[in-house]
Amino acid sequence: MDGKEVFLQIYDEAIVRDGADKLRAYLLHSDFFDAPASIRYHSNVAGGLCAHSVNVYRRLLQLLQQERADAYPSEGALRETAAICGLLHDVCKIGFYRPDFRNVKEDGVWVRKPCYVRDEAYPFGHGEKSVFLISRYLRLTAEEAMAINWHMGGFDARARGGDHSISEAFGKYPLAVLLHVADLEATYLDEKRG
């Protein structure tokens, strides 16, 4: 199975909330399955965003089963939260990168190589943009919204700028901590950095 098929299988099995079908259609009509996860760091290839999202889901599911299983009324509810947060945390990257070319020197000769460049169509932020886009289709719990909003942890521009809300969110919402950890594990342990 390719990455898109794996993503959709997890999505279809785990996410049963009202609006899941409309969000799925939105993803299918976007560049989500073709886009990179980044242009310089992890999964910076076509399809990297989808692959990264599956990796984060798997890491988050494992963390939730180890750390928070008792916080969910059923295994299905736990899996749905893991799928919503893991698979969808980076939907903010839809329409964010576009293919381009750059000149690279190889053996003393300039060669034109394909690459991606940032070309954000809707500059709304990062985690907060994902929450906004998902919320157009699905009703998120407060903890899911908080986790997706702060999934970048200390890398979030708001945290680097001195906003202390992230600390408060991590203190009140354990899922936010676990999603950030799952994102880090997927990025640094599962994926090739460019």
Side-chain angles (χ1 to χ4, degrees), residues 114-189:
C115 68
Y116 288 94
V117 295
R118 183 178 166 162
D119 187 20
E120 187 168 10
Y122 190 62
F124 194 82
H126 191 81
E128 61 268 42
K129 179 180 173 184
S130 288
V131 170
F132 172 76
L133 292 172
I134 296 164
S135 295
R136 293 171 63 198
Y137 303 96
L138 294 180
R139 185 174 178 98
L140 296 171
T141 67
E143 189 167 35
E144 290 165 347
M146 209 58 72
I148 294 165
N149 182 56
W150 291 110
H151 76 268
M152 291 292 291
F155 297 103
D156 190 289
R158 295 168 293 172
R160 289 195 324 259
D163 186 333
H164 298 286
S165 300
I166 188 170
S167 180
E168 294 171 19
F170 280 1
K172 292 178 181 175
Y173 300 98
L175 178 61
V177 176
L178 296 177
L179 180 57
H180 176 56
V181 170
D183 196 12
L184 288 172
E185 289 178 342
T187 300
Y188 290 98
L189 302 178

Side-chain angles (χ1 to χ4, degrees), residues 79-145:
R79 285 183 181 277
E80 184 173 50
T81 289
I84 288 169
C85 293
L87 295 179
L88 304 173
H89 74 284
D90 270 346
V91 295
C92 57
K93 293 180 181 176
I94 291 172
F96 193 75
Y97 302 119
R98 69 172 166 76
D100 203 349
F101 292 92
R102 65 184 166 124
N103 294 321
V104 178
K105 206 170 208 178
E106 290 182 356
D107 299 323
V109 178
W110 287 101
V111 180
R112 190 172 186 204
K113 295 277 194 172
C115 68
Y116 288 94
V117 295
R118 183 178 166 162
D119 187 20
E120 187 168 10
Y122 190 62
F124 194 82
H126 191 81
E128 61 268 42
K129 179 180 173 184
S130 288
V131 170
F132 172 76
L133 292 172
I134 296 164
S135 295
R136 293 171 63 198
Y137 303 96
L138 294 180
R139 185 174 178 98
L140 296 171
T141 67
E143 189 167 35
E144 290 165 347

Side-chain angles (χ1 to χ4, degrees), residues 20-83:
D21 55 335
K22 290 182 176 86
L23 178 54
R24 184 185 196 276
Y26 168 73
L27 294 173
L28 287 169
H29 287 96
S30 74
D31 66 347
F32 181 86
F33 296 102
D34 301 316
S38 71
I39 56 175
R40 294 185 317 195
Y41 305 111
H42 65 104
S43 300
N44 56 353
V45 296
L49 177 57
C50 175
H52 171 69
S53 300
V54 170
N55 288 338
V56 173
Y57 160 76
R58 288 179 173 149
R59 291 284 185 167
L60 180 59
L61 179 61
Q62 184 177 43
L63 288 168
L64 283 171
Q65 288 169 331
Q66 290 170 355
E67 301 291 335
R68 302 281 298 157
D70 60 334
Y72 294 88
S74 68
E75 179 69 17
L78 182 145
R79 285 183 181 277
E80 184 173 50
T81 289

